Amino acid sequence: MAEAEIDLYEVLEISRGASKEEVRKAYRKAALASHPDKVPEEQRTEAEIRFKSVQEAYDILYDEDKRHLYDTHGMGAFNGSGEPGMGAGPDLDDILAQMFGGMGGMGGMPGMGGMGGMPGGPRPNKPRKSPNEEQKYEVSLEELYKGKTVRFSSIKNVICSLCQGKGGKEKATAKKCSTCEGEGYIEKLTMMGQFLTKNTVACTTCSGEGNFFSPKDKCKKCKGKKTTEAKKILELYIPPGAKEGDKIVLEGEADQVPGQEHGDIVFHLVEEEHPTFSRAGADLAAEIDVTLAEALTDFSRVVVKHLDGRGIELSHPKKKGDILRPGQVIKVPGEGMPIKRSDSRGDLYLTVNIKFPDEKWTPSPAEVENLKQMLPKPDPPIQAETVDEVEYDPKGKMEDFGSKDPSGGTAWEDDEDDEPAQCAAQ
Ligand SMILES: [Zn+2]
Ligand SMILES: [Zn+2]
């Protein structure tokens, strides 16, 4: 279908680099100009098709993810129902209602709806779109870095192909529901606190349809349910640089409901924690280990393996005589995450962790003396009137810091039992 494809930018008469605001403005203009009510009867069908492609163009170009998908993959990235001007488009009244706050609304059909229990309120409207299926999708940082296409099979309810969602045999007509007298809803009296109120609720006999088929008239294939289960292979495309909270929408892939626009499957990306890298926006951070000798002298080696498997090599020192210090941060421009819809990338921040020698390092007295001669001399001694040489524990823990707080519930452990007054006085 590539050669016959409509250019969405042309539909809205905007340039490829148009901003979101420009897309919205162009959409409003085009939607108004091509509204079917504004044209003579004989041009109405054509206008309707145009109107729908304008809506389609807006839906895709106004959404950053979809626009990127369109820019990179064309309309082929969207499923069949996403082709402009084709298939079951959105309801015109709905679009106008969204745009102009309900001005174009026609009252709507009574039936089931989310507003089912509003006492004395307006009659519930039948939802125009079947519910979206929202789900979480966990992705590793590697996958977000490189981008990913996932194919998976899904079973969903589709409109019955035999009765086209009618629910009954071809010649059969549905019987009017006697419970609700064909209205699809009934008024129910319920107690709200101490008041008896009238609620409008969907009729359970006919499931809010207002009518139903007798058993012998029911469609053989769907048994009157109007939908059947179908297996479909779906493709989920995660663009490079996507992040936690991003939504990937598979338009029209949710369960189908007769008479309604098909809802979407919406994936909410969840970023898995990574053992090496942490991420903030498009930037990445990691710690690198450098030995004391390397920090003081030089090295040229791979310090970290990047998310795409590349080794990131550093040559130290950058300037002759430079040394690395604990906690020093090395910034590598352009080695962060890809930024969606651009060629640029975030930066990589490497925090230097100096690995001091462990117990296995046992230099000879002569080597120690050499080191002392090589390394900078200590500062002048601290002057004090009295000096105590103290005992110490070389492996103290900062977790213990503050644990000897007399008011904090911990017992004051004083070796000198003859001084209890000091404790009580505080
Ligand atoms: Zn059927
Ligand atoms: Zn009924």
Side-chain angles (χ1 to χ4, degrees):
M1 64 182 191
E3 63 274 19
E5 221 169 62
I6 300 168
D7 186 325
L8 299 185
Y9 292 95
E10 269 172 39
V11 170
L12 291 184
E13 296 174 348
I14 48 172
S15 70
R16 298 219 145 231
S19 69
K20 268 189 107 162
E21 197 44 45
E22 288 174 300
V23 171
R24 190 211 293 275
K25 278 187 186 149
Y27 163 64
R28 287 198 171 213
K29 204 175 122 209
L32 278 177
S34 61
H35 190 260
D37 287 354
K38 294 240 158 72
V39 300
E41 186 82 60
E42 64 273 16
Q43 291 171 24
R44 201 149 289 175
T45 320
E46 198 189 308
E48 247 177 58
I49 292 171
R50 237 193 81 68
F51 190 82
K52 278 175 184 166
S53 42
V54 163
Q55 171 70 21
E56 192 83 39
Y58 170 77
D59 278 348
I60 291 172
L61 298 183
Y62 193 69
D63 183 278
E64 290 178 359
D65 292 331
K66 288 187 204 163
R67 182 171 176 178
H68 176 67
L69 202 54
Y70 174 74
D71 287 345
T72 51
H73 291 67
M75 283 313 292
F78 301 87
N79 59 65
S81 70
E83 196 178 342
M86 299 288 285
D91 191 286
L92 293 185
D93 292 326
D94 260 0
I95 297 165
L96 290 177
Q98 277 169 25
M99 282 173 67
F100 306 113
M103 210 174 84
M106 301 287 285
M109 299 275 294
M112 351 177 250
M115 309 258 291
M118 289 281 285
R123 281 175 184 173
N125 286 327
K126 193 166 191 158
R128 294 284 172 78
K129 193 170 173 185
S130 65
N132 286 348
E133 283 166 35
E134 315 271 340
Q135 44 186 288
K136 283 183 181 171
Y137 190 78
E138 282 202 8
V139 244
S140 68
L141 201 52
E142 279 92 348
E143 290 165 336
L144 293 172
Y145 183 84
K146 288 183 277 189
K148 191 187 183 187
T149 302
V150 199
R151 274 178 205 86
F152 60 99
S153 69
S154 143
I155 291 175
K156 66 170 180 177
N157 292 334
V158 294
I159 307 293
C160 172
S161 58
L162 186 62
C163 64
Q164 267 79 45
K166 184 182 162 194
K169 287 180 181 160
E170 204 184 333
K171 296 236 168 55
T173 39
K175 277 196 279 197
K176 189 168 150 185
C177 174
S178 55
T179 311
C180 61
E181 290 171 333
E183 298 284 359
Y185 61 90
I186 51 167
E187 291 192 327
K188 209 173 158 186
L189 294 171
T190 41
M191 288 298 286
M192 290 266 289
Q194 49 184 323
F195 301 104
L196 196 61
T197 56
K198 222 188 252 182
N199 281 353
T200 307
V201 295
C203 171
T204 50
T205 311
C206 60
S207 313
E209 298 289 335
N211 51 55
F212 54 87
F213 289 95
S214 62
K216 67 170 175 54
D217 284 341
K218 282 191 165 111
C219 168
K220 288 200 300 284
K221 193 171 181 192
C222 64
K223 316 241 168 4
K225 281 191 307 195
K226 303 180 178 184
T227 55
T228 53
E229 285 192 343
K231 200 171 168 186
K232 196 178 171 187
I233 305 292
L234 294 176
E235 202 174 86
L236 175 64
Y237 171 71
I238 298 161
K243 58 181 185 297
E244 166 105 18
D246 278 3
K247 283 189 284 188
I248 312 275
V249 180
L250 299 183
E251 239 177 298
E253 295 294 1
D255 281 338
Q256 298 180 357
V257 176
Q260 291 178 19
E261 193 196 333
H262 306 155
D264 307 326
I265 298 182
V266 183
F267 288 99
H268 298 258
L269 296 187
V270 178
E271 189 176 299
E272 286 169 5
E273 219 168 278
H274 196 276
T276 307
F277 293 99
S278 57
R279 175 187 191 178
D283 292 334
L284 288 172
E287 278 188 21
I288 57 167
D289 283 341
V290 170
T291 67
L292 183 56
E294 284 179 319
L296 296 178
T297 60
D298 60 84
F299 65 87
S300 186
R301 63 172 174 89
V302 170
V303 289
V304 70
K305 201 167 173 182
H306 212 306
L307 292 165
D308 56 359
R310 274 178 309 136
I312 298 298
E313 184 176 302
L314 291 184
S315 280
H316 161 75
K318 196 167 166 27
K319 205 169 92 244
K320 198 167 177 287
D322 277 355
I323 62 165
L324 289 175
R325 288 173 176 80
Q328 186 170 335
V329 176
I330 295 173
K331 181 178 167 181
V332 187
E335 282 295 351
M337 295 292 284
I339 297 171
K340 279 193 286 179
R341 290 171 307 282
S342 81
D343 294 330
S344 53
R345 281 162 191 273
D347 301 325
L348 174 61
Y349 291 78
L350 299 171
T351 304
V352 175
N353 178 31
I354 307 279
K355 278 177 76 181
F356 276 72
D358 58 18
E359 311 84 59
K360 280 176 255 155
W361 187 59
T362 47
S364 67
E367 284 169 333
V368 171
E369 197 46 46
N370 262 337
L371 262 180
K372 276 171 101 171
Q373 291 306 317
M374 276 189 285
L375 293 170
K377 304 286 169 288
D379 288 336
I382 298 168
Q383 298 300 323
E385 270 179 36
T386 52
V387 173
D388 283 339
E389 182 165 6
V390 293
E391 275 302 312
Y392 64 92
D393 172 5
K395 290 186 174 162
K397 292 189 207 75
M398 275 317 279
E399 291 98 85
D400 299 337
F401 178 61
S403 63
K404 284 190 180 168
D405 180 357
S407 59
T410 320
W412 174 271
E413 287 173 35
D414 200 326
D415 290 341
E416 294 170 72
D417 293 328
D418 55 346
E419 282 184 1
Q422 191 186 30
C423 185
Q426 282 177 9

